[in-house]
Amino acid sequence: MTTRKRRPSGEASREHILSIALGLFREKGFDGTTMRDIAAAAGLSLGAAYYWFPSKEALVLAYYARQQDAHAAASREALERLPDLRSRLGAVMHAKLDMLKEDRKLLRAILRSTLGADEPTSVFSAETSEVRGQAIAIFLDAIGKDESVPEDARPLFAQALWTLHLGLLLYFVNDTSEDQTKTRALVDGSLDLVCNLAPPMLGPMRAEITALLQNAGLFAAKK
Amino acid sequence: MTTRKRRPSGEASREHILSIALGLFREKGFDGTTMRDIAAAAGLSLGAAYYWFPSKEALVLAYYARQQDAHAAASREALERLPDLRSRLGAVMHAKLDMLKEDRKLLRAILRSTLGADEPTSVFSAETSEVRGQAIAIFLDAIGKDESVPEDARPLFAQALWTLHLGLLLYFVNDTSEDQTKTRALVDGSLDLVCNLAPPMLGPMRAEITALLQNAGLFAAKK
DNA sequence: AAGCAAATCTGAACGCGTTCAGATTTGCTC
DNA sequence: GAGCAAATCTGAACGCGTTCAGATTTGCTT
């Protein structure tokens, strides 16, 4: 009944499989990589791979968690350095793109399962809620104590920025322009607009928007 | 070489398969219905089903086209009757939800492939561009000649409304409230906001927004 | 060291979407 | 109606993700 014992060799297996899998995904694409490929490359049987990851999508979930940690670390550094809202938001968004730029092909293959709250890999699913919360928290950090955004509007604004960032990622993975310059321009243009728009809009409309989203369950009432 | 001959029995086969397939999808879900089920229920062999629809997803594409036609017809009637912008937009959006309310389960299963421009069933793919154009045209019709929206801002506004409608559909298919009342409220609340917001915003910011989207290729320059 | 349960691994098997080489039917020409 | 090519259909086969009954290994207790 001692279920919390860590088997060093066991967790190492898990990490090993994940690394091998991500390498193969990047090299041959998500669909082009079979679970049998992954198991063979990791020196294990097919069943062993399924012992550590109950499905191919579970590997994607683990990938999310890895990227989220890396993004949080990369953002923290920038947030300690930059003072103004606009540049902080830019740093956070561009840091994410920098991190994901080698994985656009992989993300494109994965995107199919990122809608639809059913799918465990959906950005809206219960399984990803922790990662999602961390991602929104980064934007909350980026807003920080900037006085142009009233304190009680910050959670709403952070969630809006996260939603914008999802849309930008969708554009990013399909962006064929050199070095994804188009996405970079879209990020900067959107943020300019948002930073100009948000303060005036947040005033008169904030109460209505908040009520609307809360009724829909799309925005958590403050705890 | 006479490739344009219509075989009545042939096209009938196609329609028959599609009807059977949609019935099974509604009854047993998308994943719960196999191509073998469809072929058997249609009284054909597996290969014959693949002769008419090159993939399971192709059935989804045909379903899109059917729904789009039905929505256009339902909207046309309402648009001839209603004079003001707000009620026209409400009619169009609610007509769509009325039409799809029996298919929420099916749509949820399908949603997985509606992102990612790779997938042929993506709302952004080349394969669906015709359907997409028709859907945007409905919103253009709904705006009509309403004077609160400047003429040259109408295409942009129509596309924004279509994007909003996509988001609302995403909420709709996962809405577990009775009769999807929450979605209905969200539709009405969003449209109230948009109708109040759009005119003042479209003034000062229109040029910037249009330029931003055109550079990103997200909005076609006027032809 | 013997015993044992949990942790870890194996490989065959299943059902699925899809493909394909070839059979059959249809509509046409002479 | 004989001949023929295109249209339509057949069913076996393939590779995939996933499952599972059972084998093996590990760490602990006595």
Side-chain angles (χ1 to χ4, degrees):
Chain A
M1 208 82 68
T2 57
T3 56
R4 74 198 64 177
K5 298 262 174 65
R6 292 279 166 80
R7 299 280 214 97
S9 83
E11 286 299 317
S13 249
R14 212 189 120 91
E15 280 305 305
H16 184 226
I17 292 170
L18 180 56
S19 295
I20 296 280
L22 293 181
L24 288 175
F25 286 162
R26 287 181 180 116
E27 185 186 335
K28 318 201 303 179
F30 185 73
D31 290 330
T33 304
T34 73
M35 288 299 281
R36 286 166 181 80
D37 289 342
I38 295 168
L44 290 170
S45 76
L46 181 58
Y50 274 94
Y51 177 78
W52 290 106
F53 296 93
S55 70
K56 203 176 175 185
E57 292 205 333
L59 288 159
V60 174
L61 243 31
Y63 167 77
Y64 285 174
R66 260 199 189 180
Q67 294 300 335
Q68 181 52 41
D69 287 348
H71 185 218
S75 298
R76 214 178 334 270
E77 182 270 327
L79 294 184
E80 282 165 6
R81 191 163 37 80
L82 297 168
D84 70 301
L85 179 62
R86 176 61 183 79
S87 60
R88 289 159 70 86
L89 292 179
V92 166
M93 293 239 189
H94 285 297
K96 184 114 178 194
L97 299 191
D98 287 338
M99 209 175 52
L100 297 178
K101 70 183 161 203
E102 308 300 339
D103 291 350
R104 288 172 52 248
K105 180 179 169 192
L106 171 58
L107 289 171
R108 220 177 304 133
I110 285 174
L111 253 187
R112 114 184 41 163
S113 51
T114 51
L115 276 195
D118 274 0
E119 313 276 330
T121 44
S122 162
V123 285
F124 305 114
S125 75
E127 285 88 343
T128 59
S129 79
E130 192 179 346
V131 172
R132 182 170 64 250
Q134 289 170 3
I136 295 176
I138 291 180
F139 287 105
L140 205 51
D141 281 350
I143 297 169
K145 303 193 186 309
D146 192 280
E147 63 277 356
S148 77
V149 185
E151 185 167 356
D152 61 339
R154 285 170 193 165
L156 178 61
F157 192 40
Q159 182 161 333
L161 286 166
W162 175 77
T163 308
L164 171 64
H165 131 276
L166 277 189
L168 291 169
L169 281 185
L170 176 58
Y171 186 82
F172 178 62
V173 299
N174 291 302
D175 183 357
T176 55
S177 65
E178 183 89 14
D179 288 329
Q180 294 80 53
T181 0
K182 282 189 167 188
T183 304
R184 302 296 178 156
L186 200 53
V187 166
D188 292 327
S190 309
L191 288 179
D192 285 342
L193 279 172
V194 164
C195 287
N196 287 339
L197 238 51
M201 259 185 56
L202 283 171
M205 298 286 185
R206 185 168 76 237
E208 293 165 44
I209 296 177
T210 303
L212 185 63
L213 293 181
Q214 279 184 355
N215 283 337
L218 290 175
F219 181 61
K222 72 163 57 176
K223 48 184 170 198
Chain B
M1 211 79 69
T2 57
T3 57
R4 74 198 65 179
K5 297 263 175 63
R6 294 276 166 82
R7 300 281 212 94
S9 84
E11 288 298 317
S13 248
R14 214 187 119 91
E15 281 303 308
H16 184 224
I17 292 170
L18 180 56
S19 295
I20 295 280
L22 293 181
L24 288 175
F25 286 163
R26 287 179 181 118
E27 184 186 336
K28 317 201 302 177
F30 184 73
D31 290 329
T33 304
T34 73
M35 289 299 280
R36 286 164 181 83
D37 289 342
I38 295 169
L44 290 170
S45 75
L46 181 59
Y50 273 95
Y51 177 77
W52 289 107
F53 295 92
S55 70
K56 203 176 174 185
E57 291 204 334
L59 288 160
V60 173
L61 243 30
Y63 165 77
Y64 285 173
R66 262 199 188 180
Q67 294 299 337
Q68 181 52 41
D69 288 347
H71 186 220
S75 298
R76 215 178 333 273
E77 182 269 327
L79 294 183
E80 282 164 6
R81 191 162 38 80
L82 296 168
D84 68 301
L85 178 61
R86 176 61 182 79
S87 60
R88 289 160 71 86
L89 292 179
V92 166
M93 292 240 189
H94 285 296
K96 184 114 178 195
L97 298 192
D98 288 339
M99 209 175 53
L100 297 178
K101 70 182 159 201
E102 308 300 338
D103 291 352
R104 287 172 53 247
K105 180 179 169 191
L106 171 58
L107 289 171
R108 220 176 306 134
I110 286 173
L111 253 186
R112 114 183 43 162
S113 51
T114 51
L115 277 193
D118 275 0
E119 313 275 328
T121 44
S122 161
V123 287
F124 306 113
S125 74
E127 285 87 344
T128 60
S129 79
E130 192 179 346
V131 172
R132 182 170 64 250
Q134 288 169 4
I136 296 176
I138 290 180
F139 287 105
L140 206 52
D141 281 350
I143 298 169
K145 303 192 186 308
D146 191 281
E147 64 277 355
S148 76
V149 185
E151 186 166 356
D152 61 340
R154 285 169 193 166
L156 178 61
F157 193 39
Q159 182 160 333
L161 286 166
W162 175 77
T163 308
L164 171 63
H165 131 277
L166 277 189
L168 291 169
L169 281 185
L170 175 58
Y171 186 82
F172 178 61
V173 299
N174 291 302
D175 183 357
T176 54
S177 64
E178 183 88 14
D179 289 329
Q180 295 79 53
T181 8
K182 283 188 166 190
T183 305
R184 302 297 178 156
L186 199 54
V187 166
D188 292 328
S190 308
L191 288 178
D192 285 342
L193 280 172
V194 164
C195 286
N196 287 339
L197 237 52
M201 260 185 55
L202 282 172
M205 299 286 185
R206 185 168 77 237
E208 294 166 43
I209 297 177
T210 302
L212 186 62
L213 294 180
Q214 279 183 355
N215 284 337
L218 291 175
F219 182 61
K222 71 165 55 178
K223 52 185 170 195

